[in-house]
Amino acid sequence: MSENLQQPDKARVASVVELAQELIRRPSRAGIDDYGPVLGVLEDWLTTRGLPHRRLHGDSNALVGLLVEIPGGRPGKWWTLDACVDTAPYGDESAWSFPPASGDIEAGWLLGRGAADSKLAAAMFCHIAEDLAPQVSQLSGGLAVLLDVDEHTGNFGGARACLADGAAVRPAGAMIGYPGMEEVVVGGRGLWRAVLTVHAPSGHSGSSRTVIGAISRAAHLVRLLDAAELPEVEDGAEFPLPPKLSVTACHGGQGFSVTPDRCDLNVDVRTTPGFDAHDAETLVRKAIAELDAELPIQSPTEISLVATWPPFQLTDTEQPGAALLNAAAEAGLTVRPKTAGPSNIGNLLAGEGIPATAGFGVPYEGLHGIDERAHLAELPTVYAVYQRAVLGLLGG
């Protein structure tokens, strides 16, 4: 650890862990649990310490997050630390070796759903905001800490509410507290998502008349999509990942005696700078045209666009990635920049012209699976890296 990169003391680390434990013990599974209790823990903590914060509301006035705002004493850019406090579902709870809402510490691991993604990061970011508050007169711009929910639904309601909030200062960049200590995620594939509605005449399954139902036509379309050719990554390409197409859901029919007249397919295409949303739609429309030519009917297959996000990738010198990588190097860490396959809030921000990093944190296990846990020995170093990165961006 570099001498000029000071780690938090033991009491400070213990305070971060204690807050994270309280958050883990408030179940906040996306789309399942009420988010009020977990956000209430954070509101109480912030209020007790006099940190300025306010609620964020989304559709139907639902509570979707908290925004902490620490303005500096000098003009300058604002930067955001972001950590979600909703989580993935528990899955098969009987397969866990400890309660999913445990929050206990065992052999140096913080246990429970959200320990890795991303309640420990939320607790850490709150403490960093508290650290900065007494020295705001020396800082340029400001720091916002976004504590959002509705992230694991894929709706990103908290982030969207923050972006839509006219009172919030638009940040020059954001650092998202996903876990993992070996890389700073500085890019990710984009996505194009749509529901394809395949039609066919309905009929009785026992009729003497042969009917090619919607499910059979949809199955043929899946085969065409699976066989579609996507470009490979060329040697020396700046963006290291190829595009990818997946059919992720199929819904149609009920019972046994009726051949259905409709079947819906969810299609997820991960895009790249060389294969964008337009290319994804063109590829899907080509497969649909082949289906409708080979198995023609009166009603054409429909496309209902669900979401489209651009890919993103920061350059070596672009902020805030450069600040985070430099701070990690000052801590004596060998950390490489990474462009990730999964999409994340970084893609949403990229669509708004806001550069973001989407991952640097403590080592972890069981992310979105059973026995999720976060390793605590590295927490002081991760804390110091983020604190140094923020101070560098704010001119501290």
Side-chain angles (χ1 to χ4, degrees):
M1 184 78 174
S2 174
E3 290 183 1
N4 66 350
L5 195 63
Q6 185 176 359
Q7 290 192 4
D9 60 29
K10 290 183 179 179
R12 197 68 177 155
V13 173
S15 180
V16 173
V17 174
E18 181 181 353
L19 177 56
Q21 289 177 296
E22 291 301 310
L23 297 175
I24 292 168
R25 289 167 180 159
R26 281 18 176 232
S28 53
R29 293 164 292 177
I32 298 174
D33 297 312
D34 178 9
Y35 300 135
V38 71
L39 291 172
V41 169
L42 291 166
E43 281 189 303
D44 291 345
W45 191 93
L46 294 166
T47 300
T48 299
R49 287 152 182 81
L51 293 175
H53 64 280
R54 54 195 172 85
R55 293 184 171 190
L56 296 171
H57 296 274
D59 296 338
S60 304
N61 206 36
L63 178 62
V64 291
L66 302 174
L67 183 64
V68 184
E69 295 168 306
I70 309 293
R74 303 171 182 171
K77 298 177 179 178
W78 277 68
W79 303 90
T80 295
L81 295 173
D82 171 38
C84 62
V85 292
D86 69 323
T87 72
Y90 295 154
D92 181 4
E93 295 187 45
S94 67
W96 287 62
S97 60
F98 49 81
S102 167
D104 292 343
I105 298 171
E106 183 178 293
W109 292 89
L110 176 62
L111 309 180
R113 178 64 84 224
D117 183 14
S118 295
K119 292 180 176 181
L120 183 60
M124 178 177 65
F125 289 166
C126 286
H127 282 76
I128 289 174
E130 186 185 22
D131 292 342
L132 294 183
Q135 51 182 310
V136 290
S137 62
Q138 306 169 38
L139 304 180
S140 302
L143 175 69
V145 177
L146 173 60
L147 305 162
D148 58 314
V149 294
D150 196 31
E151 193 262 15
H152 284 83
T153 60
N155 296 326
F156 296 161
R160 291 183 186 278
C162 184
L163 291 170
D165 190 332
V169 179
R170 199 166 189 81
M175 292 179 281
I176 305 165
Y178 298 134
M181 204 167 181
E182 296 180 351
E183 301 116 357
V184 170
V185 176
V186 296
R189 286 188 290 204
L191 59 80
W192 181 89
R193 287 177 176 165
V195 177
L196 311 184
T197 301
V198 181
H199 299 282
S202 62
H204 196 292
S205 60
S207 172
S208 58
R209 176 172 169 264
T210 300
V211 175
I212 300 177
I215 293 176
S216 296
R217 295 188 80 246
H220 188 67
L221 179 56
V222 171
R223 288 191 292 270
L224 291 170
L225 291 169
D226 285 344
E229 292 188 9
L230 295 166
E232 300 290 337
V233 176
E234 297 181 4
D235 292 339
E238 292 185 3
F239 199 88
L241 298 171
K244 182 181 180 182
L245 184 150
S246 303
V247 178
T248 57
C250 178
H251 305 281
Q254 58 183 356
F256 292 91
S257 62
V258 177
T259 303
D261 59 1
R262 171 178 176 150
C263 184
D264 294 322
L265 300 175
N266 288 6
V267 176
D268 179 283
V269 183
R270 298 306 166 109
T271 60
T272 68
F275 188 87
D276 61 14
H278 174 76
D279 298 317
E281 183 172 347
T282 299
L283 181 146
V284 170
R285 287 191 180 279
K286 180 182 177 183
I288 289 173
E290 290 182 36
L291 169 71
D292 290 343
E294 294 176 19
L295 300 174
I297 62 166
Q298 210 167 19
S299 300
T301 300
E302 301 167 9
I303 298 177
S304 299
L305 184 64
V306 174
T308 178
W309 296 339
F312 75 101
Q313 187 178 40
L314 306 189
T315 65
D316 292 343
T317 59
E318 194 171 359
Q319 299 292 13
L324 195 54
L325 285 163
N326 290 340
E330 290 177 8
L333 301 176
T334 302
V335 178
R336 65 182 184 274
K338 177 184 178 181
T339 298
S343 304
N344 52 62
I345 288 181
N347 297 89
L348 175 66
L349 296 174
E352 297 286 334
I354 300 171
T357 61
F360 172 74
V362 299
Y364 65 92
E365 292 180 356
L367 184 75
H368 291 188
I370 63 169
D371 287 355
E372 181 176 341
R373 66 187 77 196
H375 202 243
L376 296 175
E378 295 80 3
L379 176 59
T381 301
V382 172
Y383 189 113
V385 167
Y386 271 108
Q387 188 175 59
R388 169 53 64 94
V390 168
L391 286 170
L393 292 167
L394 297 177

